[in-house]
């Protein structure tokens, strides 16, 4: 079990994404916990695609507070990864659907003690990865705000 606030948030994000039961292409089976992974980086070699990577990377910052507490923004990056044939648009549609459902789940919604207060939009699809590797890697960037007592 995670002890740090940041890792606890990442695991809560992973659990919430699994609960969304995102359908995978082409079998329409929901993406399970075995393909929603909290990692420091993305390595697709040992993973069955499609997969969702949750990364606790970025700059943590104080974004507000009160006399006795601080509001910390914990960055969490979510990458939706799948193979993409240049001829078949279906995986792209699945990834875009996942993005929409994940955004709706987290934007201004509570996640345990945290609330998503910031959402940084990202390019919708990086076509360079599709052209070079026939791989979709769709990033979504969130900052989860947690009020923590000083001291």
């Amino acid at each position: 079990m995670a002890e740090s606030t940041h890792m606890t948030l990442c695991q809560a994000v992973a659990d919430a994404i699994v609960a969304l039961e995102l359908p995978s292409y082409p079998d329409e089976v929901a993406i399970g916990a075995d393909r929603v992974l909290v990692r420091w980086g993305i390595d697709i070699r040992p993973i069955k695609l499609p997969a969702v990577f949750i990364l606790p990377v970025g700059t943590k910052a104080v974004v507000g507070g009160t006399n006795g507490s601080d509001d910390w923004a914990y960055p969490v990056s979510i990458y939706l990864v799948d193979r993409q044939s240049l001829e078949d648009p279906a995986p792209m549609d699945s990834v875009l659907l996942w993005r929409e459902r994940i955004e709706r789940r987290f934007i201004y919604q509570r996640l345990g003690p945290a609330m998503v207060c910031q959402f940084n939009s990202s390019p919708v699809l990086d076509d360079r990865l599709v052209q070079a590797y026939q791989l979709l890697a769709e990033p979504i960037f969130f900052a989860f705000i947690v009020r923590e007592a000083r001291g």
Side-chain angles (χ1 to χ4, degrees):
M1 180 153 134
E3 292 186 31
S4 72
T5 301
H6 209 165
M7 187 56 79
T8 300
L9 284 169
C10 288
Q11 192 56 56
V13 167
D15 294 344
I17 289 173
V18 170
L20 289 174
E21 297 183 345
L22 302 171
S24 67
Y25 172 83
D27 54 11
E28 297 300 318
V29 174
I31 299 291
D34 61 323
R35 291 194 273 164
V36 178
L37 309 162
V38 177
R39 299 283 193 266
W40 282 110
I42 297 172
D43 181 4
I44 64 164
R45 291 173 294 183
I47 305 300
K48 183 176 192 273
L49 295 180
V52 178
F53 291 86
I54 296 132
L55 286 64
V57 295
T59 304
K60 180 179 152 184
V62 175
V63 295
T66 67
N67 287 340
S69 63
D70 295 309
D71 292 341
W72 285 93
Y74 287 88
V76 176
S77 301
I78 300 170
Y79 285 84
L80 313 174
V81 181
D82 198 0
R83 301 213 183 277
Q84 173 65 54
S85 165
L86 295 175
E87 294 79 33
D88 184 7
M92 185 185 331
D93 188 48
S94 289
V95 168
L96 292 172
L97 174 65
W98 300 344
R99 178 188 176 101
E100 292 169 8
R101 291 190 56 198
I102 289 169
E103 288 170 347
R104 279 190 224 118
R105 167 58 184 93
F106 292 116
I107 295 175
Y108 299 113
Q109 302 294 318
R110 285 208 170 275
L111 181 68
M115 184 174 78
V116 176
C117 205
Q118 300 170 350
F119 166 68
N120 299 315
S121 63
S122 54
V124 172
L125 289 170
D126 186 344
D127 63 337
R128 294 171 298 176
L129 289 172
V130 175
Q131 295 294 331
Y133 305 106
Q134 296 194 357
L135 184 71
L136 293 172
E138 172 67 12
I140 309 171
F141 306 111
F142 292 107
F144 291 86
I145 311 303
V146 178
R147 180 155 287 171
E148 297 179 357
R150 291 191 182 138

